Amino acid sequence: FDETEPFEVQGLKKYGLEQELVERMFHKGMLKDSFPAVRASGQLPHGVPGELYFRETCRGVESFVKRLAAHRTGNLFDPLEANLHIEGIRLTGRIENLYGNGLLQFRYADVKPKDRLKIWVHHLVVNSLHAKNYPLHSILACKDADYKYDPVSESGSVLAELLRIYRQGLTEPIHFFPRSSFAYAEALYRKKKDPGEALSAARKEWEGSDFGGMAESRDPYFLLCFKHTDPLDETFEELARNIFQPLISCEVRIR
């Protein structure tokens, strides 16, 4: 068996530990008493390397949470309870972290399309509830960038389209792939590329490259559904436009 001792935390374990510390500091305001609990959980290397790693990680976490303070202005509102009936679907849930200048969501990692989609759905729900005196802006904060989302006057219809696509996905595999679809829409609407260039940008995400991350096509679920086909077709392009165009038109980078 492997007798070597790890001197650092990597991969998903690293992200999980960092995000746990961010959440702890965000809600409790300090990390100085966290080391014994984290060490006891077995998430750190043993001995001095574990202490050093914890201190270094805390410095980055503290810097990130201090950045979040700029987005926590004004009063903290009570959580919103959602109960909407749209497109024959009952949408229920609870939305928290609502401050005077908007809904705040954060993740201690570089921004991904899935982060954008998550806050976008919550943003549309908040805008559709029309809760008195509640803010209608939203903010997404990640390690590499912060984004602000302006109020959406037609939030109900935008949300209805997303739910229609969701319901379709319950009956058949749909040609929507977060990374590739966002690359297509971003090239088309933000970078003002033509459809052919936008599709090339999507293929770089789908097929991968020597300089990028894993090809999105290698996702086990996507392989199961589309291994012997090319799903980046007209249906893919239409879905990418319908899902991401409203989001991109509303999103403003603020850091």
Side-chain angles (χ1 to χ4, degrees):
F1 59 93
D2 188 359
E3 295 182 347
T4 61
E5 288 284 351
F7 287 92
E8 61 181 11
V9 185
Q10 297 179 336
L12 288 176
K13 288 185 178 180
K14 178 177 185 293
Y15 166 72
L17 172 59
E18 291 173 341
Q19 189 68 17
E20 176 186 330
L21 293 174
V22 167
E23 294 282 353
R24 188 174 300 207
M25 185 174 180
F26 181 84
H27 294 292
K28 296 184 178 180
M30 63 180 65
L31 291 175
K32 65 179 183 179
D33 299 326
S34 301
F35 177 68
V38 175
R39 179 177 57 186
S41 71
Q43 298 181 76
L44 297 173
H46 294 297
V48 174
E51 294 182 32
L52 295 176
Y53 179 83
F54 181 80
R55 291 175 188 171
E56 181 181 351
T57 300
C58 284
R59 282 194 290 270
V61 166
E62 288 168 353
S63 176
F64 180 72
V65 175
K66 286 178 182 177
R67 266 180 48 205
L68 296 181
H71 305 313
R72 301 173 71 181
T73 60
N75 296 328
L76 174 62
F77 288 79
D78 291 334
L80 270 179
E81 302 291 341
N83 189 356
L84 297 170
H85 292 264
I86 302 175
E87 280 292 305
I89 295 176
R90 184 183 180 191
L91 192 62
T92 63
R94 181 182 176 93
I95 300 178
E96 301 178 325
N97 290 342
L98 289 152
Y99 294 88
N101 61 339
L103 166 66
L104 173 61
Q105 292 185 359
F106 55 88
R107 197 166 73 89
Y108 195 59
D110 289 349
V111 65
K112 301 288 192 302
K114 65 180 182 180
D115 302 314
R116 289 178 155 103
L117 285 170
K118 178 182 176 182
I119 195 167
W120 181 237
V121 171
H122 285 79
H123 180 67
L124 293 173
V125 169
V126 170
N127 276 256
S128 298
L129 288 172
H130 305 294
K132 186 177 180 180
N133 297 326
Y134 273 73
L136 298 179
H137 290 84
S138 296
I139 295 170
L140 171 64
C142 292
K143 287 180 74 172
D144 59 335
D146 295 351
Y147 296 93
K148 185 176 182 179
Y149 299 84
D150 294 326
V152 182
S153 59
E154 300 297 325
S155 58
S157 61
V158 178
L159 192 55
E161 173 64 8
L162 293 180
L163 288 172
R164 182 193 66 77
I165 294 170
Y166 169 76
R167 187 165 55 186
Q168 180 186 353
L170 295 177
T171 61
E172 62 178 329
I174 61 172
H175 295 198
F176 174 72
F177 319 100
R179 285 167 42 202
S180 303
S181 298
F182 181 77
Y184 176 85
E186 182 180 45
L188 200 62
Y189 296 112
R190 185 168 286 158
K191 299 178 181 178
K192 308 303 181 183
K193 302 293 185 179
D194 64 48
E197 292 173 310
L199 190 58
S200 294
R203 287 201 177 279
K204 288 181 181 179
E205 288 292 338
W206 182 250
E207 298 172 358
S209 69
D210 294 336
F211 306 102
M214 184 184 75
E216 192 171 28
S217 61
R218 302 306 300 170
D219 180 287
Y221 294 102
F222 297 156
L223 277 173
L224 180 65
C225 297
F226 303 107
K227 184 176 182 179
H228 302 294
T229 65
D230 177 14
L232 271 59
D233 54 11
E234 291 182 1
T235 301
F236 162 82
E237 295 179 52
E238 180 181 6
L239 282 172
R241 291 194 299 266
N242 291 348
I243 291 172
F244 280 121
Q245 189 276 330
L247 184 159
I248 289 172
S249 67
C250 185
E251 181 184 82
V252 178
R253 181 167 178 167
I254 56 177
R255 178 191 171 274

